[in-house]
C-alpha cells in the first residue's frame, strides 16, 4: 500500500540526451540510494510536464516526480515493506 507524501526532495540524477536516470534522493535529511528504476511515465498538469519514476532502494518502493517547468523534484508516494 502506498502512502501519499507530496514533499520536495533533492535528487542526484544523470541527464543524457533526453533521458534522465535518478541515482539517489534526499528526504528528511536522509540519503536513499536508487538501486533500480522499475517504471517511468510522463504526465501533464496544466502547462507543467511531469516525469514520474518508480524507484527502489532494494527494500522499499518510492514514486518520485520531476517537474520539467520548475525543475523541481518531489517524492509523491512511498511503499514501505514490512
Amino acid at each position: 500500500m502506498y502512502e501519499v507524501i507530496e514533499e520536495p526532495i533533492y535528487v542526484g540524477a544523470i541527464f543524457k540526451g533526453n533521458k534522465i536516470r535518478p541515482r539517489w534522493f534526499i528526504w528528511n535529511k536522509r540519503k536513499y540510494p536508487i538501486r533500480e528504476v522499475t517504471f517511468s511515465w510522463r504526465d501533464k498538469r496544466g502547462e507543467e510536464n511531469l516525469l514520474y519514476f518508480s524507484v527502489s532502494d532494494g527494500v522499499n518502493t518510492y514514486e518520485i516526480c520531476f517537474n520539467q517547468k520548475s525543475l523541481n523534484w518531489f517524492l509523491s508516494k512511498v511503499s514501505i515493506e514490512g
Side-chain angles (χ1 to χ4, degrees):
M1 174 116 172
Y2 277 96
E3 179 181 347
V4 176
I5 304 293
E6 293 298 333
E7 292 181 12
I9 57 173
Y10 295 102
V11 176
I14 297 170
F15 290 76
K16 186 174 182 181
N18 64 349
K19 295 186 180 187
I20 301 173
R21 175 129 198 244
R23 305 293 296 190
W24 52 262
F25 66 93
I26 297 174
W27 175 47
N28 287 337
K29 299 180 183 178
R30 181 173 167 210
K31 186 174 182 180
Y32 295 83
I34 295 175
R35 305 244 185 261
E36 181 181 14
V37 176
T38 57
F39 191 68
S40 63
W41 66 99
R42 296 177 183 270
D43 199 2
K44 229 176 145 71
R45 185 181 313 147
E47 295 291 318
E48 299 175 328
N49 290 316
L50 306 173
L51 302 176
Y52 286 91
F53 301 87
S54 177
V55 300
S56 172
D57 64 0
V59 178
N60 302 311
T61 304
Y62 307 88
E63 184 180 293
I64 62 176
C65 175
F66 179 64
N67 183 317
Q68 289 184 297
K69 185 173 183 179
S70 68
L71 303 179
N72 292 318
W73 288 89
F74 294 88
L75 177 61
S76 300
K77 299 177 184 176
V78 176
S79 176
I80 298 174
E81 297 297 319

